Structures are given as structure tokens and as C-alpha cells.
Amino acid sequence: MIIAIDGPAASGKGTLARRLAAHYGLPHLDTGLLYRAVGARCLAAGTLDDEAASAQAARELDVDALDPDALRTAALGEAASVVAARPQVRAALLALQHRFAARPGGAVLDGRDIGTVICPGAEAKLFVTAAPQVRAERRFRELAGRGEPVTFEAVLADIHKRDARDSGRAAAPLVMAPDAVLLDTSSLDIPAAFAAALAVVEARRAGR
Ligand code: C5P
């Protein structure tokens, strides 16, 4: 079974993807980490504005060497969204995502274009969202908790900017697949959101 989870930054999709993967014993790929890793390499090399260099960085990406803690910073979220708007970068990351999704038994993938581009045939698709204020509060707590010097206002501005860039780009924009189920986690805690997500997947498995 392939479970495809898409949604904007800090919507709760990563937490739900991890929990669903644990529940069903499936491998999980946080595809945002791929774009963050490409952004990190470009920032380090001073080539963030260079489309060809970012595509080369994507082609050379070592998926086994990703360090989630180091990649989940505010600056790399922004850099990821810049490189992710480039068709050449997205094309370079396609094969490895397809390979992951083709694992025997299935997989859980989360990102922006999983249900629309990467795994359009996924058995279960969720589009997870929440109000921008709520997402900014969550992301602010997460980043501040890790000692990042951020303010709530800056995090909210970043959320708005990334939403606009991810939804407005021509290449694989953030958009809900027609057969995805919308899950708004604005007023849900993690157990309630997980219960709702599980109910969606179970309904799909039962053919409903
Ligand atoms: O999910 P996360 O915040 O880690 O993603 C970082 C950025 O990577 C997003 O803002 C988006 O621009 C990009 N991304 C994407 N497609 C995906 C996953 C992430 O364009 N499947």
C-alpha cells in the first residue's frame, strides 16, 4: 500500500506520515528533506541562484547520508523552496522517489506533489492543512525549542512566503489531488489528527 501525504509547511503531515508508517510497518520518506539537502549544498557552495548547479547537486544527492536534524532549519526550508521550483531539480529527484515508492509492501511518502506527480496511483491520499497562524505557532515552537534564534512574526512571514512560492510555481505546484481527502488539523491535537488520518486510510483499504 502506498500512502501519499501532501500539504503546506508545518501542517502536521510529517508527524502523521511517521505515525502511519509505524502503524502499518511501512518505510517512510520525508521528501522535503531531499529538497532541503539540495538547498543546503547550494547554500554552502554559493550557488543557490544557479539552476544548473542546483540540478547537479540534486543528481549527486546521497539519500543515505541525509541528516534530518541538520536539515530542518528555517534557512534550509527557504533554500529548499527556491531550488524546488526548478524543473531540472525536480526531475533529478524523481527516480529515487519512484524507487522508494516501489518497495515491496509499499511506503509512506510526504511532501507537496506526492499524490499528484510522484505517486498518482497511491491507494490512500491525504492533503493535510491547517490555518497559517496555527502552522506558524507549531513551527515557531519547534524551531525555538531547538535553540534557533527565530521570532513568531518571522516564522509566520516565512510560512506565507513559502505557501505562495510552493503553490504558485509552474513545476509540480502544491495542490490537492482530486482523489485526496482533506484533513484540517487546525483544531486537532496529534492523537486526534492521527485517528482521523488512520480512518481515511482504513476506509480506502476497505474500498470505501
Ligand atoms: O516539507 P518541508 O518543509 O521540509 O519542505 C521544504 C520545501 O521543499 C517546501 O517548501 C517545498 O518547496 C519543497 N518540497 C517540494 N516537493 C516536495 C517536498 C518538499 O517542492 N515533495
Side-chain angles (χ1 to χ4, degrees):
M1 171 176 60
I2 295 178
I3 303 177
I5 306 185
D6 291 304
S11 56
K13 64 184 188 309
T15 302
L16 292 176
R18 270 192 302 280
R19 289 196 171 212
L20 286 169
H23 180 86
Y24 289 111
L26 294 171
H28 166 226
L29 181 63
D30 170 354
T31 63
L33 290 179
L34 308 176
Y35 295 92
R36 284 172 181 266
V38 174
R41 281 196 57 174
C42 293
L43 271 185
T47 55
L48 195 61
D49 296 332
D50 183 336
E51 175 152 11
S54 54
Q56 187 60 27
R59 283 191 286 273
E60 289 169 3
L61 190 71
D62 178 1
V63 73
D64 296 320
L66 300 178
D67 177 353
D69 283 338
L71 293 172
R72 290 203 178 103
T73 64
L76 293 182
E78 172 66 16
S81 146
V82 170
V83 297
R86 298 176 179 151
Q88 286 185 50
V89 169
R90 306 199 72 84
L93 297 176
L94 210 57
L96 76 87
Q97 294 177 84
H98 282 157
R99 271 200 306 279
F100 193 92
R103 288 182 179 204
V108 180
L109 290 88
D110 75 272
R112 301 292 187 290
D113 62 341
I114 308 302
T116 50
V117 174
I118 305 295
C119 303
E123 283 85 351
K125 296 183 187 178
L126 279 158
F127 192 86
V128 183
T129 189
Q133 282 276 346
V134 174
R135 292 191 279 124
E137 271 158 31
R138 289 177 186 160
R139 187 46 55 87
F140 173 68
R141 277 200 301 272
E142 179 195 329
L143 294 171
R146 291 159 32 132
E148 273 210 51
V150 286
T151 64
F152 173 77
E153 289 69 28
V155 173
L156 181 60
D158 172 66
I159 291 257
H160 281 306
K161 192 168 156 194
R162 271 216 278 155
D163 282 358
R165 192 189 282 129
D166 291 348
S167 305
R169 68 188 178 207
L174 171 66
V175 54
M176 183 169 143
D179 53 347
V181 175
L182 180 67
L183 177 57
D184 188 330
T185 66
S186 299
S187 58
L188 301 179
D189 62 12
I190 292 174
F194 176 63
L198 193 57
V200 170
V201 177
E202 283 297 305
R204 286 295 166 95
R205 268 158 58 97
R208 281 181 267 138

